[in-house]
Amino acid sequence: LKIGILGTGDVGTNLGARFVQLGHEVKLGSRTEEKAQKWAQGKGPKAYGGTFADAAAFAEVVFNCTSGSVSLEALKLAGEKNLSGKVLVDVANALNFSNGELTLTVANTDSLGEQIQRAFPSAKVVKALNTMNIRVQVDPNIVHGESDVFICGNDSGAKTKVTEILGWLGWKAPIDLGGIDRARGMEALFLFWYSLRVKYQSALFNFKIVR
Ligand SMILES: NC(=O)c1ccc[n+]([C@@H]2O[C@H](COP(=O)([O-])OP(=O)(O)OC[C@H]3O[C@@H](n4cnc5c(N)ncnc54)[C@H](OP(=O)(O)O)[C@@H]3O)[C@@H](O)[C@H]2O)c1
């Protein structure tokens, strides 16, 4: 698969590296191409770097791994036409750590996932992987026992594709919460995740739903 990854932080670089390792072609994107090109160096012939727009144009499936509070700006740079008709996996959380307090820049009656879907109506937005640390995202077995990953989005075909991709990373079938408005809960879960992160002084844990 041709995968475009928007974002050069921990999430973009590690997800990208994992997909290359799994045999896929990956183009990482950043505001200016140098950062992304640096990532591609030494990763073999299937790893490329470019701008956000280059990565989105290249891809069959696009991952938004940009800082959530500026994701809409990053996606504008990626370009609506480069996202049109494509599965857009939104991994971002819209966090604000100012004043020593953690808040979400969008919450309750809206979510980043919905904002992205509204801004790019021809993209098929699927929220996924935002409820665990990147080391768990790319290697679910790093925590003991089976745990859960959640997805939501309006397009069922896109969710089927994301389910397949999650399987490549080692995830069992995700819990499908419904339409993209369910991103409100998935994003709010970060606040709880963060309390556990502080309590355990480690990010190596995940949620498991039992019924
Ligand atoms: N870290 C985790 O384990 C984890 C787990 C779950 C979800 N998440 C979420 O995943 C996303 C990525 O996290 P991260 O820690 O890897 O990276 P990050 O530091 O949150 O984001 C880095 C990316 O944001 C872009 N960016 C920053 N300011 C921008 C602006 N003004 N306009 C456009 N783009 C801008 C940067 O562009 P350049 O490349 O040009 O610098 C870079 O590619 C975040 O939304 C985070 O909340 C993280």
Side-chain angles (χ1 to χ4, degrees), residues 6 52-54 56-57 62 73-83:
L6 311 179
F52 286 138
D54 293 335
V62 180
E73 288 161 50
L75 287 163
K76 265 179 216 141
L77 293 173
E80 180 157 23
K81 72 172 191 311
N82 295 326
L83 299 169

Side-chain angles (χ1 to χ4, degrees), residues 6-13 29-32 35-36 52 64-71 73-75 77 91-95 112 129-135 137 190 193:
L6 311 179
T8 55
D10 266 3
V11 176
T13 55
S30 49
R31 280 169 288 188
T32 55
K35 247 191 201 174
F52 286 138
N64 172 37
C65 306
T66 61
S67 186
S69 58
V70 292
S71 285
E73 288 161 50
L75 287 163
L77 293 173
V91 184
N93 286 312
L95 311 179
L112 179 62
L129 292 171
N130 70 308
T131 56
M132 77 280 297
N133 179 255
I134 175 61
R135 290 177 64 195
Q137 289 177 16
F190 182 83
W193 181 94

Side-chain angles (χ1 to χ4, degrees), residues 98-178:
S98 59
N99 309 322
E101 205 188 352
L102 170 65
T103 56
L104 302 175
T105 63
V106 54
N108 295 333
T109 54
D110 200 2
S111 61
L112 179 62
E114 288 166 278
Q115 288 182 327
I116 293 173
Q117 185 64 84
R118 284 199 302 273
F120 302 93
S122 57
K124 298 167 186 170
V125 179
V126 178
K127 191 96 202 177
L129 292 171
N130 70 308
T131 56
M132 77 280 297
N133 179 255
I134 175 61
R135 290 177 64 195
V136 183
Q137 289 177 16
V138 297
D139 182 10
N141 294 317
I142 202 168
V143 295
H144 296 299
E146 240 178 20
S147 58
D148 283 303
V149 59
F150 310 100
I151 59 170
C152 69
N154 296 341
D155 187 285
S156 60
K159 289 194 280 194
T160 302
K161 188 74 207 170
V162 173
T163 298
E164 182 190 2
I165 293 170
L166 291 171
W168 299 340
L169 296 174
W171 289 100
K172 64 172 181 165
I175 297 178
D176 180 353
L177 297 170

Side-chain angles (χ1 to χ4, degrees), residues 25-93:
E25 283 187 88
V26 175
K27 189 172 271 197
L28 205 77
S30 49
R31 280 169 288 188
T32 55
E33 60 195 334
E34 291 77 18
K35 247 191 201 174
Q37 275 170 354
K38 197 167 167 214
W39 167 86
Q41 280 166 17
K43 290 205 170 50
K46 290 186 170 179
Y48 318 95
T51 61
F52 286 138
D54 293 335
F58 165 86
E60 295 163 278
V61 171
V62 180
F63 280 74
N64 172 37
C65 306
T66 61
S67 186
S69 58
V70 292
S71 285
L72 287 169
E73 288 161 50
L75 287 163
K76 265 179 216 141
L77 293 173
E80 180 157 23
K81 72 172 191 311
N82 295 326
L83 299 169
S84 182
K86 294 181 181 172
V87 176
L88 173 56
V89 187
D90 178 29
V91 184
N93 286 312

